[in-house]
Structures are given as C-alpha cells and as structure tokens.
Amino acid sequence: MCHASSTFAGHAVCCSLTSHACHAFSLSAGHAEAALAYGQDPRKYSVMTRRFVGDEQGKLKGVEIVGVKMERDAQTGQFRPTEIPGTVQMLEADLVFLAMGFLGPEATLAEQLDIARDERSNFKAAFGDFATSVPGVFAAGDCRRGQSLVVWAIREGRDAAENIDG
C-alpha cells in the first residue's frame, strides 16, 4: 500500500510505512497531468469492453467495461479472460480507438478446411516444409508459430514459397 508518494525526475515514488520499501515507476508528464485533472490515473487495466452504448440516433455516448481476471480453461488449457462480478462500469466516450492483440488465426478457415491445430490454436505445420494436415495447404508466420516478429513471418513466407515451388 502506498502511504506517501511524490514525483521525482519523471518517476513516481511510492513509499510504504509498513514495509519501509520504496518503489519507483515511470510516470510521463501526460499521465501526471491526467491524474491531476481527473483526481486519479484515468487509465484502466484488466478490463474488457462489454458493449458500446449509443444514443437514440446511434451516436456513440459510452463504453460499458467490466473487470476481468485470466483463468485457465479446463478443456483447452488456454488462459481466457473471465468477468469479475460487480465490476461493470460505464465510461463516457464520443470516440473509440480499437487496439487489437493477436489471439491466434481465424478459426473459421481452419474449421472449413479441417486443418489440424496445436494447443494454442495455431495451424500445425512443421518448420521447414510448412505443410499442414491438408494436402496443398501451407502455413507460415503468425498462423503457424503464433504472435511473433514480422521478420519471422517474412522469412517463413519466403521459405514456404521456396518449398512449395520445389
């Protein structure tokens, strides 16, 4: 628990009276200004958007969010966000930017072509030949290895094309 805090050289410093420990974390001028304007840091962590709320004309007026925690799915072993009861909040908004993370390749394609997938939902294809379980279908880059650097996707794409050509 933070009992005393201050800003020093661009870092927020938080000192606990019970543990006599001080922790420093980076705080940009923008974060400090927002915290001053709103009375607290307006950023929200470990939340999920439930829905966008519009007015009678369909114009965006808010976003409903809920707190989440990551829990392991008993069947797949993958971690999934689970809503925390009683944490629903409405945030006023007139503009929303979407920042999407990579959660694996689109399931529809794999299901339609019956491509075998690994435990993380990536298309199964061995590095080097890139062939999937479906003859004539190859996989490279993120859909095969999972989220990674673009240089890996380029390399694997070139290697797969070379392998396909024979």
Side-chain angles (χ1 to χ4, degrees):
M1 173 175 267
C2 187
H3 292 283
S5 64
S6 63
T7 302
F8 175 75
H11 296 275
V13 179
C14 176
C15 297
S16 169
L17 298 177
T18 56
S19 69
H20 303 290
C22 284
H23 305 282
F25 54 93
S26 182
L27 182 70
S28 74
H31 296 149
E33 184 179 350
L36 183 63
Y38 293 102
Q40 64 181 13
D41 189 340
R43 295 174 293 173
K44 304 285 184 190
Y45 297 97
S46 298
V47 298
M48 180 172 63
T49 301
R50 291 182 87 196
R51 65 189 180 109
F52 296 103
V53 179
D55 61 18
E56 300 78 29
Q57 290 77 37
K59 183 179 176 188
L60 180 69
K61 69 177 197 176
V63 179
E64 185 179 277
I65 62 171
V66 64
V68 294
K69 59 184 173 183
M70 298 302 285
E71 293 186 333
R72 188 179 298 270
D73 183 289
Q75 291 181 325
T76 66
Q78 293 179 326
F79 282 94
R80 302 276 186 221
T82 304
E83 291 187 11
I84 301 170
T87 62
V88 174
Q89 291 181 285
M90 180 64 71
L91 304 177
E92 291 182 24
D94 55 11
L95 180 64
V96 173
F97 293 101
L98 301 177
M100 313 283 221
F102 183 79
L103 298 176
E106 292 295 323
T108 306
L109 180 63
E111 291 164 1
Q112 288 177 352
L113 295 176
D114 199 27
I115 297 172
R117 292 178 277 174
D118 67 16
E119 65 281 351
R120 296 181 307 151
S121 78
N122 299 320
F123 299 172
K124 278 190 179 179
F127 180 78
D129 70 4
F130 304 97
T132 67
S133 58
V134 177
V137 177
F138 298 83
D142 288 1
C143 74
R144 189 196 71 78
R145 71 181 304 139
Q147 180 180 4
S148 188
L149 300 173
V150 70
V151 294
W152 274 110
I154 293 167
R155 176 82 239 176
E156 287 195 7
R158 288 177 176 162
D159 288 349
E162 186 177 305
N163 192 47
I164 293 165
D165 284 343

